[in-house]
Amino acid sequence: MIQLEELKNLLSNCDENSMLTFVGNFKPYDLAICVEKLDRAEQLQLMRLLPPEISAEIMEYLEPILQYQILNHLEEYETSQVLNKMSGDVVADMMLAIHRHQAIKLLNLLPQDYRDKVLTLMTFPEHTAGSLATIDYIAAQSSWTIERTLQHIRKVGHDAEITSYVYVTGIKGELLDVVSLKRIILSEPQTRLEDIVIGEVISVPATMKQEEAAELLSRYDLVALPVVEVQNRLIGVITVDDLIDVIHEEATEDIHKLGGSQPLTDAYFKTSVFHLYRKRIVWLLILFVAEAYTGTVLRHYEETLSEVIALAFFVPLLIGTGGNTGTQTVSTLVRALAVGDVQFRDIFKVMRKEMTTGLLTGASISLIAYLRALFLGVESNVGLVVAITAMCIVIWASFVAAILPLILHKLKADPAVVSGPFITTLVDGTGLIIYFTIAKILLGL
Amino acid sequence: MIQLEELKNLLSNCDENSMLTFVGNFKPYDLAICVEKLDRAEQLQLMRLLPPEISAEIMEYLEPILQYQILNHLEEYETSQVLNKMSGDVVADMMLAIHRHQAIKLLNLLPQDYRDKVLTLMTFPEHTAGSLATIDYIAAQSSWTIERTLQHIRKVGHDAEITSYVYVTGIKGELLDVVSLKRIILSEPQTRLEDIVIGEVISVPATMKQEEAAELLSRYDLVALPVVEVQNRLIGVITVDDLIDVIHEEATEDIHKLGGSQPLTDAYFKTSVFHLYRKRIVWLLILFVAEAYTGTVLRHYEETLSEVIALAFFVPLLIGTGGNTGTQTVSTLVRALAVGDVQFRDIFKVMRKEMTTGLLTGASISLIAYLRALFLGVESNVGLVVAITAMCIVIWASFVAAILPLILHKLKADPAVVSGPFITTLVDGTGLIIYFTIAKILLGL
């Protein structure tokens, strides 16, 4: 980690050389973490001291608002230098995060063609493939020779973020193919690009959801994914690091949802208490109201309960076990759906698998439940009720938890809505009905 | 998707040309999915028909055992051709999955230097950076000129899997630096590598855990990660696609653990019912035994309960809400720990944040709980007990769920052990004690 104090000292001493040596030892990511902790004057001082390409790299790791605040305080020519070195998708994100007037002022500092590309990127809604695309890729025509392509790379390559591939486009800018830099190096100077291209290029439409793009990239082991618009026109390329961020975000979302709260979008400490409250209270209240139903069930069986008070001892145990079984099943299936291992058409296979597993776990739990009842010193009749209920509740929970995520997925709703707390609540009320029905029958109440 | 029937037809007609045209339309990943569904004779026929480099690419997506079964049924020279085109880390994984005698037979089909590298890779334990490294990278000496480096790339580049970077090594094979292919193309022929290298290269030791390597890669936006041994000797490079698989696996593991079961290692349908049973029953039984404690608590308060049977109505509601709150908090914090947003030293900040949030949610829930009690028609005294208990249980659950994952993390245990079901069970028993204590005091029992 960077010594924040040392950096602050060097900045206050205005010792440019030791400063640059010091900074040279660290990666832009580490410097960005540090920049967040400096005060505004120090941030500006550091940005002015560093070459614009390094400043731009650091900027890319900062939040859009902070990017703007720094750029806004720099001199106009400094701002334009840094802005020009930042990648198009990051600039577009920042523009969308700030006020329209501020954005226009900044856009005017960009050269015409770069500005147009940023404006295009700004039209794609958040969380789509288009919004992630960078415009700093290298394109070439299929009729070009290797020699001409290499000349082109030498001319435009300095600013390109996509460095391993050259995208082959047609006259109207339509994506035809892709060729790796390695392949170019290995080929003879007079070979034409059309003779060495990979064949079938994998691309995604700009409107595709970002998580689908991420899935495609990881399925086919790609390191960059070209993004196309109508008529297959190439508008940008998504780099693997942006899609790794998407994969992380999606997993975080699913984990939060499975935990029964709305997903947080920011890092933990950047989320305020009130925001945390709002994300949690919604589901907590919905579940509370649903769970309140257990009170109605219990009041309905008040008579049975007062006759055999021992039945009450096992209420938390039985519904708790049902909830646990349901949570296990739901988390397995929601994840299997997310990574594409399971689809709706598998519903009967899933049901069979989960209910057979439920039968096995139910039988094991049932046995232990009977022993526990005897150990608590209740009548053996009550013990039997508890054992049979345990079995039934486990199978019931497995069934519900197996089909609900699949049905939601089919309905194009997010299967992760069926969270652990959701399934627990559902099984609590219905589990009690199972319990008291079995009790009434077996105990003859 | 590939038409499996069409492929089977083409295979049975032995129509080589239409076969090759057909196959040419698909990616190795899609073909691999298909190969899994063919019978052995068809698999062999297909592999023989395809050029060895395509066969090898398909093989890389298959399970190690299936890889071996196919290779074992091919003629020796066919096997050696395909094996030679497969990447070192995949071959090493397969060797580790099969019997030692079988492995030796296959290893003997490899050229000496390739065999040695595979043997080195086989020495790294599963789930370490070393076990993921491919040996098919391009290395160069720092004193080489661009011209000489390009000659070298043209000589060895055809077999290299790592295609965007050249790794600069010293005399003893120690990793000195890295330079991108783009940078090489952009430089003058007489420039020496030492003059254009990136500087500070990020590498990982072979023994590093794979998830740590994945974190490093995603933090610094890299597309390949060199792996070194003692004395900084370069032994291989991890490609981004392997680390994306690791990121997926880690998220799956955490989701399964948070759902209260041991993580599955295979895809859903590849996991047998009995395996599923074994992964789930362990925690289910542990939690069942822990939850059985609620019976003891309830029996202890049997007298209170028979005096005011209405108290029983709210048992599932109160402990359920506590469990839900705990599950929300735990899932947020386990994920925050996994992505590095939170550390043990933040424990007091986390506690303050979670308990303030708990105070807010608790107050909201408390109000609704009071209304619910009145609506159920119980005495207003009981309503008060329920409302106060709701508040206390929510705060208690927030507290426990906030600190346990952090403490486990500190103890180098996996914080995801504190699953939703775990925290629910913990809060159930302790929540009941809170409930009846408040009841006894307020109702004067």
Side-chain angles (χ1 to χ4, degrees), chain B residues 142-146 188-197:
Chain B
S142 59
S143 59
W144 288 4
T145 59
I146 293 298
E188 296 301 320
Q190 292 315 313
T191 315
R192 286 177 189 281
L193 283 183
E194 55 203 1
D195 298 327
I196 58 163
V197 288

Side-chain angles (χ1 to χ4, degrees), chain A residues 27 29 157 164 182 200 219 252 260 268 271 277 280 292 296 299 328 335 353-354 364 372 376, chain B residues 27 29-30 157 164 182 200 219 252 260 268 271 277 280 292 296 299 328 335 353-354 364 372 376:
Chain A
K27 298 279 163 192
Y29 168 85
S164 316
K182 183 183 91 169
E200 287 289 300
R219 184 185 317 155
T252 302
Y268 182 73
T271 309
Y277 165 76
R280 289 182 184 169
T296 314
R299 199 184 51 179
Q328 289 184 330
R335 184 61 183 166
K353 192 173 194 117
E354 287 302 334
S364 318
R372 167 64 183 160
L376 253 188
Chain B
K27 297 280 163 190
Y29 169 84
D30 297 319
S164 316
K182 183 182 90 166
E200 286 289 303
R219 184 186 314 155
T252 302
Y268 183 71
T271 308
Y277 166 76
R280 288 182 184 168
T296 314
R299 198 183 53 175
Q328 289 185 330
R335 184 61 183 167
K353 191 171 195 120
E354 289 301 334
S364 318
R372 167 64 184 160
L376 254 188

Side-chain angles (χ1 to χ4, degrees), chain B residues 311-337:
Chain B
L311 284 175
F313 302 165
F314 302 96
V315 164
L317 181 61
L318 290 171
I319 62 181
T321 301
N324 291 346
T325 307
T327 306
Q328 289 185 330
T329 309
V330 151
S331 64
T332 311
L333 285 173
V334 167
R335 184 61 183 167
L337 282 166

Side-chain angles (χ1 to χ4, degrees), chain B residues 348-406:
Chain B
F348 292 106
K349 266 167 81 185
V350 169
M351 238 157 69
R352 200 170 53 233
K353 191 171 195 120
E354 289 301 334
M355 292 185 68
T356 325
T357 313
L359 209 71
L360 288 173
T361 45
S364 318
I365 290 287
S366 185
L367 184 69
I368 311 282
Y370 188 68
L371 296 174
R372 167 64 184 160
L374 294 186
F375 186 76
L376 254 188
V378 302
E379 280 178 66
S380 71
N381 264 354
V382 174
L384 199 64
V385 169
V386 170
I388 295 178
T389 306
M391 181 84 186
C392 294
I393 283 186
V394 166
I395 296 177
W396 166 240
S398 306
F399 171 74
V400 179
I403 61 164
L404 279 190
L406 291 171

Side-chain angles (χ1 to χ4, degrees), chain B residues 11-232:
Chain B
L11 279 170
S12 68
N13 291 341
C14 290
D15 182 351
E16 247 186 69
N17 282 335
S18 358
M19 180 72 218
L20 285 174
T21 322
F22 177 81
V23 164
N25 291 326
F26 300 102
K27 297 280 163 190
Y29 169 84
D30 297 319
L31 290 167
I33 297 286
C34 218
V35 164
E36 286 180 354
K37 293 177 187 145
L38 298 174
D39 59 38
R40 185 61 32 84
E42 289 167 332
Q43 287 170 342
L44 297 176
Q45 202 189 343
L46 182 66
M47 290 297 169
R48 283 184 177 132
L49 219 62
L50 296 173
E53 53 274 18
I54 306 285
S55 295
E57 272 195 84
I58 296 174
M59 291 289 269
E60 302 205 350
Y61 289 103
L62 302 177
E63 296 290 319
I65 298 299
L66 182 54
Q67 290 171 352
Y68 172 70
Q69 286 166 339
I70 293 176
L71 288 174
N72 192 37
H73 282 83
L74 291 172
E75 296 296 319
E76 205 164 88
Y77 76 93
E78 294 165 337
T79 306
S80 104
Q81 271 190 317
V82 174
L83 208 51
N84 263 299
K85 295 286 177 188
M86 287 170 66
S87 54
D89 52 330
V90 177
V91 174
D93 280 349
M94 181 184 67
M95 297 296 179
L96 288 171
I98 61 182
H99 192 280
R100 185 186 285 257
H101 293 304
Q102 302 165 330
I104 293 174
K105 228 175 85 187
L106 284 183
L107 279 168
N108 281 331
L109 299 176
L110 293 172
Q112 175 77 42
D113 58 333
Y114 191 62
R115 183 166 64 226
D116 288 348
K117 284 180 178 175
V118 168
L119 282 169
T120 311
L121 289 182
M122 286 171 67
T123 61
F124 301 115
E126 252 196 311
H127 307 304
T128 59
S131 72
L132 293 175
T134 173
I135 45 184
D136 309 314
Y137 56 88
I138 303 175
Q141 310 267 316
S142 59
S143 59
W144 288 4
T145 59
I146 293 298
E147 200 173 5
R148 167 135 192 224
T149 309
L150 280 170
Q151 274 169 13
H152 180 67
I153 295 173
R154 291 204 183 93
K155 211 175 85 191
V156 302
H158 286 282
D159 292 329
E161 190 184 350
I162 302 289
T163 55
S164 316
Y165 292 95
V166 168
Y167 294 89
V168 182
T169 52
I171 297 174
K172 290 177 182 160
E174 70 274 23
L175 176 66
L176 296 176
D177 226 312
V178 59
V179 57
S180 69
L181 227 50
K182 183 182 90 166
R183 195 73 200 266
I184 290 178
I185 292 181
L186 296 180
S187 303
E188 296 301 320
Q190 292 315 313
T191 315
R192 286 177 189 281
L193 283 183
E194 55 203 1
D195 298 327
I196 58 163
V197 288
I198 292 183
E200 286 289 303
V201 53
I202 294 178
S203 65
V204 297
T207 49
M208 182 185 259
K209 278 200 244 161
Q210 60 177 14
E211 59 263 37
E212 286 172 32
E215 205 197 310
L216 213 64
L217 176 117
S218 78
R219 184 186 314 155
Y220 292 108
D221 292 348
L222 310 169
V223 296
L225 200 53
V227 178
V228 294
E229 249 190 340
V230 274
Q231 295 188 313
N232 207 28

Side-chain angles (χ1 to χ4, degrees), chain A residues 411-444:
Chain A
L411 299 174
K412 305 240 179 268
D414 188 338
V417 163
V418 188
S419 57
F422 181 101
I423 209 81
T424 302
T425 305
L426 190 69
V427 169
D428 279 359
T430 47
L432 284 175
I433 297 178
I434 295 175
Y435 184 32
F436 284 101
T437 309
I438 293 174
K440 283 186 93 160
I441 294 172
L442 284 192
L443 303 180

